[in-house]
Amino acid sequence: MIVRAVVLTLGLGFAWLVGVANREESRPGFFGLAQWLVLFGLAVLGGSMVLDGELVGLAVLTVVAGLTFPWAVARTWLIPRGHWRSAWFLVRSSAWTWHDDNRGGALVAAAWAAVRAGGPPAALAFVERRCERSDCGAAHLLATGLVAAARGDLEAARRWIGSLCEFTGKASPQMARRLALQWIAADAATRGAWSQLAQLDADRDVDAATAALIAVARRFVGAAPIPTDAELETAWRSVPQRAQFRALLDRALQHQASPAAPNSVVRATPVVDRDPHRAALVAHAHLLSHPRPDRVELVAVAQAWDRALADQAFTHRTQRRALELATRGDPIESLRARLDADLVEVARTARMVLGEDSAVARGTLGRVRRTLGQRLLDELEVVADALKTRVRTRRALAIHEEWREYLTLRGTYQSAVAMTGPVLQRLAFPCVNESICALAVWLWNDRKNRVHAHQMFRWLLSEAEKCEDAEAIALHRRNVECGR
Amino acid sequence: MNAVERWAGNPFFVLELAVTASRAEVERAGQKWLAMLELGLARAAIYTTPLGVRARTPELVRTAMAELRDPERRAGHEPWCLLQEPASVIDPPESTASEGEPGFDAMGPLQWSRR
């Protein structure tokens, strides 16, 4: 009896260890087959024990089933109930679903279970400690994002998890990408960001739930191809949790789909008032009072101030008053400065897309655009210089912290480009390129974090192509080729 | 100080004075509000701006008096105090923005949120 118990325990332990050792690009790999062979033997043994009337055989069969389908068991039982330790332990030996990175898969399972459990500090610390190891694959980005989500920092979670969706090929475990896409889609649907959701491409890793959410989003925003009622029903039927999505499906079916209007130049609505100064103040007050001001309102305010500043009665009155007060400066210039400061602040806070338009280079809007562009560029240079200096002095951070630095700089650059336009992009790219390239080269050559470095080179190449920077394109093509 | 605080803290609003107020009127109004605040009168506790009602404090009153004593700074505040009423009572400019479809909690059914 004791001998049999020892053999069974050793056999199960061996099967787990063989699963742990598995890291194959294709499945089933050598270790996966070896694991199944051992588990098959144990299952036969457990079955014979059950047939002999020994109840221990049932326990053996249960453990064998758990080790044979670790992800299915973790996903169905352990993760929803928040059992993060068991989920991590079981998925660590996954040789099928996480065949390409079960170390990362186990971290994802633990982080996901931690989210379900309400973010216990021990679980979050456990995941973070393991993410700091230098041999982490791309799946740790999902785990780190889930830890951020468990802490309530959804903005950071979106950045981390969104960055994983950009990985292609064998650089990222397939399941990690599938889950990341699902999380991004669910988050966008919860926020009502349907346009963003509709833009998710038909990815090879999209699962049924994500595909259904994308179809609904396409219907809501009228993005081509707009799904028909039958297509929506079909997409909904393939979702395992379809009962809980019924209300969303009904809303989508009731929605009258119409093709989205092409991008058009939005004309601001002028505020009508006999006194242009008063009209400008009214528009300005509405802009500042608005919880979510948009570009149209800001343009309206800028135009209202242009009318006020072009009104001779107002400017004469202001200048006369300045003479009465015996001031030295130009009152109109100081009014412009204050006005520009207000509008730049509103545009930055609301992350407004002001764009670049040489036709309106003059006037309040033109000044606001220039000031905003200059400030964004200055801030970008500060962030890029900090990264470059750290890389030069070889002060290494844990790989997930390095990735965070990369995402921060990239996010600052993308936000600046989105708010302004291609002119700023061409000015900003060289400084971003220098810093990120230095980091990626360091990661590749010295620290052997090739998955992350390759992804950085890919992003730099795509930006270099947008900026038509021939030198950078040639350099990053070579760098990307090294990682293939 | 941000744009909202800058405008809401306009000394003419804090002291409830017209743009034509003389230096003596500024001093009288400042002393009046300080005395009323010291007595804890409810009337003195708040003031109206185009961005809504704000709390009046002795520090704010003293700062407002100092701002209006300096002609350079006073000239900077004057163009911003033409509106006395809150902007919310004025018809807002027409907006073309639409809110779109509200969100749907997909995190719960897909088990991405706390159980």
Side-chain angles (χ1 to χ4, degrees):
Chain A
M1 182 69 186
I2 294 173
V3 173
R4 191 184 284 181
V6 169
V7 168
L8 285 171
T9 309
L10 285 175
L12 289 170
F14 182 67
W16 185 80
L17 284 173
V18 171
V20 167
N22 183 73
R23 186 160 185 163
E24 305 281 351
E25 285 189 354
S26 59
R27 60 189 181 190
F30 170 76
F31 288 100
L33 287 170
Q35 187 191 36
W36 289 349
L37 203 63
V38 175
L39 287 172
F40 178 73
L42 290 168
V44 170
L45 197 60
S48 68
M49 287 166 77
V50 171
L51 291 175
D52 292 345
E54 291 180 53
L55 289 177
V56 183
L58 279 178
V60 173
L61 285 178
T62 308
V63 177
V64 167
L67 286 174
T68 310
F69 307 104
W71 177 247
V73 173
R75 179 70 193 82
T76 312
W77 298 98
L78 303 175
I79 292 171
R81 287 167 180 74
H83 300 311
W84 58 273
R85 283 190 190 87
S86 321
W88 175 83
F89 184 82
L90 202 55
V91 178
R92 188 68 184 81
S93 74
S94 170
W96 182 258
T97 306
W98 292 94
H99 65 97
D100 37 6
D101 182 14
N102 59 22
R103 191 191 296 262
L107 277 184
V108 168
W112 193 355
V115 170
R116 296 289 293 162
L124 302 185
F126 173 85
V127 175
E128 281 183 327
R129 231 176 12 252
R130 274 162 176 74
C131 282
E132 284 172 13
R133 294 182 181 171
S134 60
D135 54 350
C136 275
H140 84 281
L141 297 174
L142 176 56
T144 311
L146 290 174
V147 168
R151 292 213 163 98
D153 188 356
L154 287 174
E155 197 60 45
R158 278 175 209 128
R159 253 201 331 265
W160 284 107
I161 299 175
S163 72
L164 174 58
C165 299
E166 296 166 15
F167 281 72
T168 54
K170 292 169 184 169
S172 158
Q174 194 179 13
M175 180 53 78
R177 281 198 82 243
R178 185 176 300 171
L179 293 174
L181 285 163
Q182 192 192 81
W183 192 94
I184 289 289
D187 174 63
T190 304
R191 287 184 288 127
W194 300 109
S195 310
Q196 188 189 332
L197 182 48
Q199 284 167 4
L200 283 181
D201 288 329
D203 196 289
R204 68 183 164 91
D205 292 330
V206 160
D207 64 3
T210 312
L213 285 173
I214 293 172
V216 167
R218 281 183 155 344
R219 174 77 165 230
F220 281 155
V221 300
I226 301 171
T228 61
D229 289 0
E231 285 169 339
L232 280 175
E233 290 271 5
T234 308
W236 173 75
R237 272 196 213 99
S238 58
V239 179
Q241 306 86 348
R242 57 185 159 275
Q244 289 156 291
F245 284 99
R246 183 73 231 185
L248 180 64
L249 175 73
D250 291 342
R251 259 173 58 189
L253 290 173
Q254 284 164 12
H255 189 87
Q256 294 299 317
S258 57
N263 289 339
S264 56
V265 178
V266 181
R267 296 288 169 209
T269 312
V271 179
V272 180
D273 197 297
R274 276 174 300 178
D275 180 359
H277 178 206
R278 188 182 150 80
L281 287 171
V282 170
H284 201 98
H286 277 295
L287 181 75
L288 295 188
S289 311
H290 204 292
R292 289 166 66 188
D294 61 19
R295 180 179 173 274
V296 180
E297 281 176 289
L298 188 131
V299 171
V301 172
Q303 289 177 342
W305 277 111
D306 283 342
R307 279 191 292 276
L309 293 168
D311 179 40
Q312 289 196 341
F314 168 64
T315 50
H316 286 164
R317 194 168 63 233
T318 308
Q319 279 163 343
R320 196 174 59 243
R321 184 68 187 144
L323 282 175
E324 285 168 12
L325 290 168
T327 60
R328 287 186 294 273
D330 181 352
I332 299 296
E333 274 311 307
S334 53
L335 176 62
R336 276 202 185 106
R338 159 90 180 265
L339 168 63
D340 293 353
D342 280 8
L343 297 188
V344 167
E345 185 189 311
V346 170
R348 291 208 53 193
T349 310
R351 296 190 176 191
M352 223 171 259
V353 178
L354 286 188
E356 291 163 346
D357 187 354
S358 54
V360 283
R362 289 182 181 182
T364 305
L365 189 60
R367 285 197 316 275
V368 169
R369 276 179 174 147
R370 277 196 302 277
T371 312
L372 180 69
Q374 192 54 52
R375 279 201 201 159
L376 292 171
L377 208 51
D378 290 346
E379 284 176 12
L380 190 66
E381 280 176 3
V382 170
V383 180
D385 278 348
L387 176 62
K388 194 167 62 185
T389 307
R390 191 174 61 72
V391 171
R392 275 185 187 159
T393 53
R394 291 294 190 259
R395 279 182 281 130
L397 300 176
I399 186 62
H400 76 289
E401 295 290 346
E402 298 285 12
W403 190 255
R404 190 207 305 268
E405 295 252 315
Y406 157 68
L407 287 184
T408 303
L409 178 54
R410 201 182 83 166
T412 311
Y413 166 81
Q414 286 173 329
S415 164
V417 171
M419 286 166 75
T420 51
V423 173
L424 184 129
Q425 187 172 21
R426 288 201 175 88
L427 290 172
F429 178 69
C431 95
V432 172
N433 180 37
E434 201 179 340
S435 299
I436 293 181
C437 186
L439 174 64
V441 167
W442 184 32
L443 288 176
W444 182 280
N445 288 340
D446 300 343
R447 298 172 62 184
K448 311 299 177 200
N449 288 118
R450 295 191 168 164
V451 170
H452 299 81
H454 177 67
Q455 192 60 26
M456 289 177 193
F457 288 134
R458 281 188 61 232
W459 181 75
L460 286 173
L461 175 60
S462 74
E463 287 306 307
E465 283 169 348
K466 283 181 202 160
C467 296
E468 297 167 350
D469 184 337
E471 199 180 330
I473 291 171
L475 172 69
H476 294 309
R477 274 202 184 131
R478 285 198 302 274
N479 288 335
V480 169
E481 277 305 313
C482 287
R484 287 194 198 281
Chain B
M1 189 185 284
N2 66 26
V4 173
E5 286 172 16
R6 223 167 18 232
W7 198 3
N10 188 300
F12 290 102
F13 299 147
V14 176
L15 300 176
E16 294 187 11
L17 286 172
V19 72
T20 52
S22 66
R23 177 86 180 258
E25 284 173 315
V26 170
E27 294 302 323
R28 271 201 299 277
Q31 295 306 327
K32 179 187 83 176
W33 290 120
L34 286 173
M36 287 172 77
L37 283 168
E38 200 166 329
L39 291 171
L41 299 180
R43 164 76 184 84
I46 53 169
Y47 66 98
T48 309
T49 77
L51 304 174
V53 175
R54 291 287 189 279
R56 186 188 278 118
T57 61
E59 291 72 32
L60 210 52
V61 172
R62 288 193 194 96
T63 309
M65 289 167 73
E67 289 285 304
L68 295 187
R69 279 182 202 128
D70 181 341
E72 297 282 346
R73 285 193 249 166
R74 176 175 174 149
H77 291 302
E78 284 188 358
W80 296 91
C81 66
L82 181 69
L83 279 187
Q84 293 281 348
E85 66 272 50
S88 56
V89 302
I90 307 166
D91 286 340
E94 188 185 336
S95 172
T96 55
S98 66
E99 290 299 317
E101 280 288 329
F104 175 84
D105 179 18
M107 299 295 263
L110 294 174
Q111 300 182 328
W112 288 111
S113 57
R114 190 177 180 165
R115 73 196 148 115

